[in-house]
Amino acid sequence: MNTYATVVLAAGKGTRMRSTLPKVLHPLAGVPLLVHVLDAIEAIPSTKTFASHTALTSTHRPVVVLGHEAAQVESVIGQRCQYALQAELLGTGHALLSAQPAVDALDPLPQTILVCYGDTPLISAEMLARVLIEHLTRQVTITFLTGQVTGPSDYGRVIRDSEGRVQEIVEVKRATEEQKCIREVNSGVYCFDRAWLWPMLHALPRNAVGEYYLTDLIGIASRQGCEIATVTGSLEETLGINNRVQLAAVERLLRQRILEQHMYDGVTIIDPATTYIDSGVTIGIDTVILPGTMITGKTRIGSACRIGPGTTIDHSIVGDNCVIRNSALEETILEEGVQVGPFSHCRPGAYLARNVRMGNFAEVKNSYVGAETDMHHFSYLGDATVGEHVNIGAGTITCNYDGKRKNHTNIGSGAFIGSDTMLVAPVNVGEHAATGAGAVVNKDVPAGALVVGVPARVLRISQPVESSPEESNKKE
Ligand code: UD1
Ligand code: CA
């Protein structure tokens, strides 16, 4: 059985990003660059190319080489991979050598080492599988992935002899004007024969730039007469991110891919140019996304919803048949048939049950709002629990903050809260109670009571509506 181990080089500072955040943690479609690469690596065994090579396995988590802000990267990425530390940032060759102890500790010991960079997030599992399979079927010392550029670029150039055999990779910094015109470039994915790799990496000379370049191994192998194979892939998949201009270019490509996938999966996107959907968002069929909409984080949207225009939804769950117009949702849950907006804000912890109608100009924070409740014009619910079939009148607010603490408000099912009511928390409004317009409620309101005034006082208490014998039977 053949085994391989994967090493991802991600120790670099990312100087050209000019950022305090390590480069591989910069988000792309909402997900750190490095996570995209790890997703591709994990998906290798399920690719079509891999299917007929069941004898090839990787029994290990990928080894990620970290250096700059290693602890920060590790805490974001977690335990899906193992880590090696490059103590001093001396180049990609040195980075790979830093992974040797981790790789040599693997059991079984892999014959093949697949190497990729943490800053090429569009790499696909299929492409990685192609490089691996080519390497194993050709039984060569090195296989690497190349791409074709159409203009100037910062990739290493692939130098071949007159018979097309690879001679070396020349980095742009060291390339002659003639070499800079070469269109075939190094995409930064390699397979190495492990037994050959380590001694060569140990012997790798420090170059004129003061670094140990992984790419210098190609020239060494060629001079030794070792066989080197290449696989040519689309450059688009291996775009490397060194600066924020490249980050934006890759972001645009990935977003387009994401939108197309949703459209193929049955979602209507009226204007892809102004719609932004993070990687990992799920959307049910027949949902329509209107212009100017951003759906981010781990958001799930149901079927047959209408979202937008001008809407942002972050880390939220939206049930089927919801309508959200010109509104913002964060860490919110909507059950089916909920309507939000226009111009409403659901803040973290908002939970709107079935068929709630909220807005325009309404805000809910850290509150449960029961099914069929109406909450329209200029209202605010914070730290509240609201029952079913409640009417929240225009201008109603929970005065939930007393300057020190956030206090809770309970509103029972069937209550009718008159316009401009101030609910001074902590306070409870009983089932089927009502408040008059402008009431300032600072004491609990019994079930069925009508309270009015400032501060609100009880005007009358209605008898609970007797349920008919038929209805009581139903309840039992
Ligand atoms: C590298 C290749 C280049 C190739 C390009 C493809 C080398 C010398 N050059 O150039 O031929 O065309 O990628 O995208 O390899 N890293 C470390 N430790 C270090 C330095 C870098 O772990 O000491 C990591 C970085 O975090 C990064 C990756 O290696 O993820 C590549 O480094 P980078 O500096 O971006 O190399 P390029 O200049 O893009
Ligand atoms: Ca790079």
Side-chain angles (χ1 to χ4, degrees):
M1 191 167 58
N2 280 314
T3 58
Y4 69 94
T6 309
V7 178
V8 184
L9 307 185
K13 197 169 172 199
T15 312
R16 293 164 278 183
M17 294 297 279
R18 293 185 177 269
S19 176
T20 53
L21 187 69
K23 175 164 76 174
V24 292
L25 290 187
H26 274 261
L28 183 78
V31 175
L33 298 184
L34 183 54
V35 170
H36 289 278
V37 177
L38 293 171
D39 285 346
I41 291 168
E42 280 170 17
I44 294 173
S46 50
T47 58
K48 275 197 219 116
T49 301
F50 212 78
S52 51
H53 293 81
T54 44
L56 179 61
T57 57
S58 176
T59 47
H60 322 288
R61 290 174 296 160
V63 177
V64 175
V65 180
L66 297 180
H68 176 68
E69 299 287 356
Q72 191 185 349
V73 180
E74 201 174 325
S75 74
V76 172
I77 306 297
Q79 293 310 306
R80 65 189 293 193
C81 45
Q82 35 191 326
Y83 299 97
L85 192 70
Q86 184 187 13
E88 231 186 317
L89 302 180
L90 296 176
T92 47
H94 181 259
L96 182 53
L97 194 55
S98 312
Q100 188 188 4
V103 172
D104 284 354
L106 297 174
D107 182 21
L109 206 52
Q111 286 113 4
T112 300
I113 301 180
L114 170 67
V115 179
C116 53
Y117 295 153
D119 67 350
T120 54
L122 295 186
I123 187 76
S124 68
E126 190 59 47
M127 191 61 77
L128 294 173
R130 274 182 56 202
V131 177
L132 257 173
I133 301 303
E134 179 74 6
H135 185 75
L136 286 147
T137 42
R138 298 274 306 271
Q139 301 212 318
V140 290
T141 308
I142 304 177
T143 305
F144 69 99
L145 183 65
T146 72
Q148 295 284 336
V149 292
T150 50
S153 74
D154 52 4
Y155 296 96
R157 303 299 198 268
V158 179
I159 315 291
R160 293 182 185 264
D161 66 14
S162 53
E163 270 145 57
R165 281 186 300 250
V166 174
Q167 285 183 302
E168 58 177 329
I169 294 174
V170 176
E171 292 305 310
V172 183
K173 278 185 200 161
R174 291 187 293 171
T176 61
E177 286 311 311
E178 204 180 323
Q179 287 170 331
K180 280 184 192 161
C181 297
I182 294 172
R183 295 285 173 241
E184 190 185 17
V185 297
N186 169 29
S187 296
V189 175
Y190 319 78
C191 275
F192 294 100
D193 174 37
R194 185 185 51 82
W196 181 88
L197 177 66
W198 298 137
M200 292 306 131
L201 267 183
H202 279 284
L204 192 66
R206 201 166 180 161
N207 61 28
V209 189
E211 288 194 10
Y212 300 90
Y213 280 175
L214 182 57
T215 44
D216 286 345
L217 287 181
I218 310 296
I220 292 171
S222 156
R223 286 191 290 280
Q224 288 176 353
C226 299
E227 279 217 67
I228 301 168
T230 56
V231 170
T232 306
S234 87
L235 188 77
E236 197 177 287
E237 258 196 34
T238 49
L239 286 172
I241 293 175
N242 295 330
N243 57 49
R244 299 195 201 221
V245 175
Q246 291 167 334
L247 180 67
V250 173
E251 177 96 23
R252 198 161 49 242
L253 280 169
L254 182 56
R255 292 217 176 268
Q256 184 61 26
R257 274 195 206 170
I258 293 170
L259 294 177
E260 283 174 10
Q261 194 57 55
H262 284 297
M263 292 187 266
Y264 286 125
D265 291 346
V267 178
T268 294
I269 297 176
I270 302 287
D271 182 19
T274 63
T275 305
Y276 302 83
I277 301 177
D278 271 0
S279 148
V281 168
T282 61
I283 307 177
I285 61 163
D286 290 330
T287 284
V288 178
I289 313 284
L290 293 134
T293 295
M294 284 190 91
I295 306 176
T296 54
K298 290 189 166 55
T299 292
R300 295 206 313 261
I301 309 242
S303 322
C305 295
R306 217 176 149 76
I307 314 284
T311 292
T312 60
I313 304 180
D314 185 49
H315 284 293
S316 296
I317 297 172
V318 174
D320 297 341
N321 298 304
C322 289
V323 178
I324 306 170
R325 293 185 288 157
N326 297 96
S327 291
L329 269 63
E330 304 149 56
E331 293 167 43
T332 286
I333 298 174
L334 307 186
E335 289 185 1
E336 60 183 26
V338 172
Q339 293 180 26
V340 176
F343 311 109
S344 293
H345 190 182
C346 291
R347 291 168 50 205
Y351 186 114
L352 310 192
R354 190 170 38 82
N355 297 340
V356 163
R357 288 163 295 266
M358 170 193 176
N360 50 179
F361 301 103
E363 175 180 337
V364 174
K365 182 216 76 171
N366 190 33
S367 296
Y368 175 90
V369 183
E372 309 285 349
T373 286
D374 281 307
M375 172 193 185
H376 298 293
H377 342 276
F378 312 103
S379 44
Y380 169 60
L381 291 174
D383 306 298
T385 305
V386 179
E388 297 180 0
H389 293 281
V390 171
N391 184 76
I392 307 282
T396 293
I397 62 167
T398 51
C399 310
N400 58 323
Y401 185 49
D402 59 13
K404 289 193 197 86
R405 272 187 309 255
K406 300 284 164 68
N407 298 304
H408 203 85
T409 300
N410 289 305
I411 302 176
S413 290
F416 184 97
I417 309 297
S419 294
D420 232 356
T421 297
M422 306 285 119
L423 297 159
V424 184
V427 74
N428 300 300
V429 176
E431 290 191 1
H432 300 284
T435 68
V440 174
V441 181
N442 58 1
K443 281 199 210 82
D444 288 355
V445 179
L450 166 65
V451 297
V452 296
V454 180
R457 61 191 197 303
V458 175
L459 198 65
R460 62 164 188 270
I461 299 185
S462 353
Q463 292 307 310
V465 187
E466 289 281 329
S467 47
S468 66
E470 218 180 19
E471 270 190 330
S472 341
N473 285 345
K474 257 194 241 156
K475 275 177 194 156
E476 283 160 15

